[in-house]
Amino acid sequence: MGGTGGTAVARVLRDRVAGRYLAGVVVSGFGTSAMWLTAGIWVKSLTGSNSLAALTVCAMWVPVLAGPALGALADRMDRKALLVRVNLAMACLLATLLLVDSGRTVWLVFVVLVLYGAGGVLLDAAESALVAGTVPAPLLADFNGLRMTANEGVKLVAPLVGAGLYARFGGPAVALPAAVTCGVAALVFARLPVREGPRDRDRTEPWSAELAAGLRRIRASAVLRPLVTAGSVTMLLAGVNGAVTFAYVDDVLGRAPAYAGVLYAVQGAGSVAVGLLAGPLLRRLPERVFAAGGTALFGLAVAARSVPSDAVALAASAAIGFGLPCVLIAATTAVQRETPDAVLGRTAATAVSLMTAPNAVALALGAGLVAVADVRLLTVAAGGLGVLAAAVLAAGARTGRRPDGAAAGGSPRGR
């Protein structure tokens, strides 16, 4: 593909579909990020229970396990209409949180969060398929990088705004604006200049076989299988790293718990940076090399958390933020390019489930490990495994590149 990385980014932003879609991501992502932090604070204040507060995060993660089923639904429906309807449904769901006023009604928070998480998985599947069919293939990596930048940029601001609103006005003051952001996102997606062609929605195979179609596609692909596997391993290690963060701040750095917020902000800035650079890098490197390089950087940075130094801590956080998303961006782009439209929703949702579910498991596992093992040992072990995963991924990388920037040997998406 000709032109510079900056020109490619400008082309993505000028694209009517891509530009409006990114606007919808920013708007809806702001409400989601604000609720992610505030829900735990809200439940804690109503019940006094740390365990219930921690469960709010799990409630939003649990629907990831239903990714193949939700992806199959996205493959059967008009995806643009699905984006609009799901966002409107999520707006209505969030509005019901105005009824939460005591510990007796806190159950409603968990019901809404689970359904909200399910809506997010369904949206991701529909969005990935819709984008793959409308954004030019050479710009997919740039688009996915900008999407990462938009998501991470919002996360730097929205939780602080949500916490401030909660402290001043209470939980409903966060729930209502979050509902409004979903409504606005629905309006943005309704104006996407997209017309999908007819899709065969009649079942031609058993439901169980439909659900497994995405997994079969990933397993059979020499391009997707190693990337998704590496993503799963990396996110597992990221979960362990996240679980030991507060112990690291306390035991290694000797800082107050609030210092973790500084490290998260620096990590987010690293993710914003890699989102802007992902497209140009993927035009110069094979996907597996790009993903392996990011994973290696992530592993080395996690291992560096064994060093009791604030300067190292800040540098490691930035490196973690930069390295971790690389395999996710590479895998997402490959799924969009390699998968036929008829099964793209299921394949994308299955890939997301395979790569993100280990993170939730590792968060719980890490919470137990940190109680019985030295945090330095855990960070060195997790970092070493990350570097090993990167080496395995890089060992099988193809070195050739097609002129359009796709990996050599990769097949174009069937349409």
Side-chain angles (χ1 to χ4, degrees):
M1 171 182 154
T4 65
T7 301
V9 169
R11 286 175 60 192
V12 172
L13 294 177
R14 285 197 303 266
D15 185 273
R16 292 175 66 198
V17 175
R20 290 183 183 178
Y21 172 68
L22 286 172
V25 167
V26 170
V27 172
S28 61
F30 193 93
T32 298
S33 297
M35 279 302 303
W36 174 77
L37 174 64
T38 305
I41 300 174
W42 196 359
V43 169
K44 166 67 175 177
S45 66
L46 291 175
T47 67
S49 171
N50 288 322
S51 297
L52 288 177
L55 282 176
T56 59
V57 177
C58 293
M60 294 186 71
W61 275 95
V62 163
V64 168
L65 301 176
L70 295 170
L73 182 61
D75 281 336
R76 289 187 169 278
M77 300 181 65
D78 183 309
R79 290 158 181 158
K80 175 182 172 181
L82 192 61
L83 293 180
V84 175
R85 292 167 185 169
V86 172
N87 271 288
L88 290 175
M90 291 166 69
C92 294
L93 272 173
L94 290 169
T96 65
L97 292 178
L98 298 176
L99 302 175
V100 177
D101 58 1
S102 68
R104 293 190 304 273
T105 53
V106 77
W107 61 268
L108 185 58
V109 174
F110 290 97
V111 172
V112 169
L113 290 178
V114 170
L115 294 176
Y116 191 73
V121 175
L122 186 55
L123 286 176
D124 283 344
E127 290 165 356
S128 185
L130 193 62
V131 164
T134 54
V135 175
L139 294 179
L140 280 177
D142 294 279
F143 179 88
N144 289 323
L146 286 176
R147 189 184 191 280
M148 176 68 68
T149 293
N151 277 330
E152 295 301 322
V154 165
K155 289 177 183 177
L156 293 176
V157 179
L160 296 178
V161 173
L165 287 172
Y166 179 84
R168 182 67 178 85
F169 302 107
V174 182
L176 188 56
V180 171
T181 62
C182 287
V184 173
L187 292 177
V188 173
F189 290 135
R191 293 178 58 82
L192 286 175
V194 173
R195 290 186 179 180
E196 291 191 276
R199 189 182 304 116
D200 183 8
R201 298 178 177 84
D202 296 328
R203 292 186 183 178
T204 58
E205 56 184 349
W207 180 245
S208 59
E210 284 198 57
L211 296 186
L215 181 60
R216 290 199 305 269
R217 184 78 191 179
I218 292 170
R219 290 179 61 184
S221 172
V223 174
L224 302 183
R225 185 177 63 254
L227 286 171
V228 173
T229 301
S232 299
V233 173
T234 304
M235 290 302 290
L236 178 74
L237 299 174
V240 174
N241 175 64
V244 305
T245 294
F246 286 103
Y248 163 66
V249 169
D250 184 18
D251 298 343
V252 178
L253 299 179
R255 289 278 194 164
Y259 192 67
V262 176
L263 299 183
Y264 279 127
V266 173
Q267 181 174 324
S271 295
V272 169
V274 76
L276 294 173
L277 296 173
L281 288 173
L282 277 170
R283 278 189 292 277
R284 290 165 173 78
L285 299 171
E287 284 165 346
R288 287 177 66 164
V289 171
F290 172 73
T295 300
L297 178 62
F298 163 77
L300 291 172
V302 171
R305 285 190 154 185
S306 60
V307 179
S309 163
D310 285 344
V312 172
L314 294 172
S317 294
I320 288 170
F322 192 97
L324 180 58
C326 292
V327 67
L328 304 179
I329 294 172
T332 298
T333 303
V335 166
Q336 290 170 333
R337 190 190 68 244
E338 299 287 328
T339 310
D341 181 77
V343 294
L344 182 48
R346 278 165 285 180
T347 305
T350 300
V352 169
S353 294
L354 291 173
M355 291 190 292
T356 56
N359 184 264
V361 173
L363 283 169
L365 177 64
L369 287 174
V370 78
V372 298
D374 187 280
V375 65
R376 296 173 182 82
L377 177 62
L378 293 176
T379 56
V380 170
L385 289 173
V387 173
L388 177 61
V392 172
L393 183 62
R398 296 170 179 174
T399 56
R401 302 289 288 173
R402 289 209 306 263
D404 65 359
S411 59
R413 280 195 343 101
R415 299 189 194 277

